[in-house]
Amino acid sequence: MPKNTPLKNRLFIPLGNTSREQEANNFDFMRFLGACLVIYGHAYPLSGRGTFDHIQLWTRGIFPTAHMGVAIFFVISGFLISQSISRSPSALNFLWKRAVRIFPGLFVAALVTVFVLGAMVTSLPLGEYFTLSETYRYLLVTKLYPPYPDTLPGVFNTSENHTVNGSLWTLAYEFTCYFALLAVNLLFPAKFRKQIILTCFIVTWLSYPFWVEPLSGSSFQIPLFHLRLFNLVDFGMYFVAGCVAFHYRQYILYKGYLALSFFSFWIGTYLLAESSPSIPLSCVVWARYLAIPYLVLYLSFIRGHLNGFGRFGDLSYGLYIYAFPIQRIVVSVLGATAPIGPIILLSFLCVLPFAWLSWNFVEKPCLRLKGIVA
């Protein structure tokens, strides 16, 4: 694109060429928002109020707020990971960069969960807690892929659900999307890759009526990875949409009237499903696979004060991996009958320092090692 092209006429923002251009997006804020939506959505089931929060009720129960936050993560991830792999000199370099972004923070979070958070709330004497093998077996969550234990001795055992960190399960799905994108790059010549990715999205989207019911009603897990196929396709649609947006970025126009059109298309499927018994409510998800990616990227590319949100650090990952156990502790302290507002606010305020420490003393230093593998 010519350098003298007026900014208002540009169809996309070329990320990563200069520090100024890197700041000219809201990706950091949108990921932060996604993490906050996860915290909000989890507050309801963790406090015994059921799985339906207010936003989920507004969406007729088919779009949990926590799932909405994860969808934002996957759309942005698809866009940025496509950029990353296009700039990686080798497959090993690409995988190394993904590993140093995911695993150091996860490993430290697991240690903090076992030796700090778990020790704070276990009902067992600390001497017994630290001598049980089950305590240290929890560290297997760092292998990312199930099966792994997500319980600690005497921790949260007064509730029906003893899960310590119910957010970590989505990380394996995201990492699998990385593997899939890498496979496309290894198997196909560069000139065909973006067409392959676009074709995968279009075919999967158009065939939605044929696979949604069989997959959503099945507990089939992918061998070796032990991941539920439906969840991989569901999250993968947002990820691939982000990949498509990156590869065809020079053709995509981000305008308010288009964002409104996509939003209207999404909401319109609700109205059609409610007015016509022949149209299942699941069609809303079909529309969502188009609407959510466009809306997320539209909001990400708006120029304004939020472009510099990243100057505070990328706290989204830390918020995501620490929120669940800390929210459980907050609920146990305040009581499940406490108003939901204070539970959400106190949870966020308690998680924020952990996220800040994670970014500044674990994630950011480890990211400096990205270039040691060529």
Side-chain angles (χ1 to χ4, degrees), residues 116-243:
V116 179
L117 303 179
M120 285 173 51
V121 298
T122 182
S123 59
L124 300 177
L126 286 181
E128 182 180 353
Y129 173 80
F130 283 119
T131 55
L132 291 173
S133 61
E134 289 83 357
T135 300
Y136 305 98
R137 196 174 296 137
Y138 177 83
L139 297 176
L140 288 174
V141 300
T142 57
K143 73 185 183 76
L144 208 64
Y145 285 88
Y148 53 74
D150 195 13
T151 59
L152 283 169
V155 176
F156 308 135
N157 58 0
T158 57
S159 61
E160 294 182 4
N161 185 358
H162 300 174
T163 300
V164 173
N165 197 332
S167 296
L168 300 183
W169 67 279
T170 63
L171 297 180
Y173 290 91
E174 182 165 358
F175 215 80
T176 302
C177 289
Y178 301 163
F179 282 129
L181 186 59
L182 178 61
V184 170
N185 277 257
L186 293 176
L187 294 175
F188 299 98
K191 63 180 180 179
F192 295 127
R193 289 169 191 165
K194 68 179 185 179
Q195 291 92 333
I196 294 295
I197 293 171
L198 177 61
T199 300
C200 287
F201 180 83
I202 292 176
V203 170
T204 307
W205 187 73
L206 291 177
S207 62
Y208 174 81
F210 300 98
W211 58 258
V212 61
E213 292 298 333
L215 291 188
S216 62
S218 171
S219 59
F220 174 77
Q221 293 186 345
I222 302 171
L224 185 63
F225 294 99
H226 303 288
L227 301 180
R228 188 169 174 237
L229 181 57
F230 174 76
N231 290 333
L232 183 59
V233 175
D234 181 46
F235 292 140
M237 286 293 287
Y238 297 113
F239 183 87
V240 176
C243 296

Side-chain angles (χ1 to χ4, degrees), residues 218-284:
S218 171
S219 59
F220 174 77
Q221 293 186 345
I222 302 171
L224 185 63
F225 294 99
H226 303 288
L227 301 180
R228 188 169 174 237
L229 181 57
F230 174 76
N231 290 333
L232 183 59
V233 175
D234 181 46
F235 292 140
M237 286 293 287
Y238 297 113
F239 183 87
V240 176
C243 296
V244 170
F246 173 79
H247 285 290
Y248 290 90
R249 59 196 182 280
Q250 66 267 42
Y251 305 110
I252 300 176
L253 187 66
Y254 292 103
K255 292 292 185 179
Y257 69 88
L258 291 176
L260 181 60
S261 298
F262 274 101
F263 182 76
S264 300
F265 170 61
W266 180 28
I267 298 302
T269 56
Y270 277 102
L271 301 178
L272 287 174
E274 290 183 340
S275 61
S276 175
S278 62
I279 300 178
L281 192 58
S282 59
C283 285
V284 177

Side-chain angles (χ1 to χ4, degrees), residues 48-78:
R49 288 170 168 83
T51 57
F52 281 43
D53 54 74
H54 287 94
I55 296 178
Q56 187 175 359
L57 288 173
W58 294 338
T59 61
R60 301 298 186 268
I62 63 172
F63 204 8
T65 308
H67 190 96
M68 189 181 299
V70 174
I72 293 174
F73 281 128
F74 272 82
V75 172
I76 295 175
S77 180

Side-chain angles (χ1 to χ4, degrees), residues 292-306:
I292 292 298
Y294 186 88
L295 292 171
V296 168
L297 293 174
Y298 167 75
L299 294 173
S300 297
F301 290 137
I302 293 176
R303 290 186 178 271
H305 296 297
L306 291 177

Side-chain angles (χ1 to χ4, degrees), residues 27-28 31-32 73 77 80-81 84 93-108 144 171 174-175 178 313-321 355 358-360 362-371:
F27 283 135
D28 288 317
R31 287 186 293 207
F32 183 85
F73 281 128
S77 180
L80 295 181
I81 298 304
S84 175
N93 173 264
F94 170 73
L95 290 175
W96 171 251
K97 289 189 294 186
R98 297 305 97 220
V100 296
R101 185 65 187 99
I102 296 291
F103 288 101
L106 177 62
F107 180 70
V108 173
L144 208 64
L171 297 180
E174 182 165 358
F175 215 80
Y178 301 163
D314 185 1
L315 306 184
S316 58
Y317 186 53
L319 288 174
Y320 190 78
I321 59 179
S358 178
W359 169 251
N360 285 281
V362 181
E363 300 165 48
K364 185 178 179 180
C366 287
L367 286 175
R368 300 192 185 105
L369 304 176
K370 290 191 302 182

